Amino acid sequence: QVQLVQSGGGLVEPGGSLRLSCAASGSIFSINWMGWYRQTPENEREEVGRVTGAGATTYADSVKGRFTITTDISQKTVFLQMNSLKPEDTAVYHCYAQITIDSFGSKWHGWGQGTQVTVSS
């Protein structure tokens, strides 16, 4: 039906940068919002931020000013640019989305496969 496929991630030193991407494919009528959440090694889940179909963005206080979410609507892709990374940003990052899949307004919710981000010297 709908798939979210992520790329990016890896190991970076504190202060470094990484970029994640997430592409949606399948039966997509319109994208209501796409975003990112992360799951820490302590199993805590935190929403990092999201962007609406209209382009409005929200961020967790912990990442404001360091992380930026952008989209390429034509490619149905959302990006997470992470700068000034800290060890406490270490987590598995998942993209997730709410997508309208037909003209009747049927909605799909789902998430990507996850990607590990490790911030360590």
Side-chain angles (χ1 to χ4, degrees), residues 22-118:
C22 173
S25 63
S27 178
I28 298 171
F29 186 78
S30 65
I31 295 175
N32 301 333
W33 54 262
M34 295 182 78
W36 299 87
Y37 71 91
R38 61 188 181 185
Q39 189 128 10
T40 68
E42 297 76 28
N43 248 353
E44 294 178 352
R45 181 178 291 191
E46 177 186 34
E47 177 173 279
V48 173
R50 63 174 69 181
V51 57
T52 69
T57 52
T58 56
Y59 297 95
D61 287 344
S62 58
V63 306
K64 276 181 186 174
R66 300 187 298 122
F67 290 12
T68 303
I69 295 175
T70 57
T71 57
D72 181 337
I73 295 299
S74 64
Q75 298 297 319
K76 301 180 179 63
T77 300
V78 64
F79 304 95
L80 178 64
Q81 178 66 43
M82 303 182 288
N83 299 328
S84 302
L85 282 160
K86 305 175 182 180
E88 51 263 43
D89 295 317
T90 295
V92 176
Y93 285 72
H94 293 267
C95 66
Y96 63 151
Q98 183 188 83
I99 292 172
T100 299
I101 60 173
D102 58 34
S103 58
F104 302 103
S106 305
K107 290 184 174 50
W108 175 92
H109 297 82
W111 51 91
Q113 78 273 23
T115 187
Q116 177 70 45
V117 170
T118 302

Side-chain angles (χ1 to χ4, degrees), residues 8-14 16-18 85 90 115-121:
L11 173 65
V12 65
E13 292 186 348
S17 298
L18 282 175
L85 282 160
T90 295
T115 187
Q116 177 70 45
V117 170
T118 302
V119 185
S120 175
S121 54

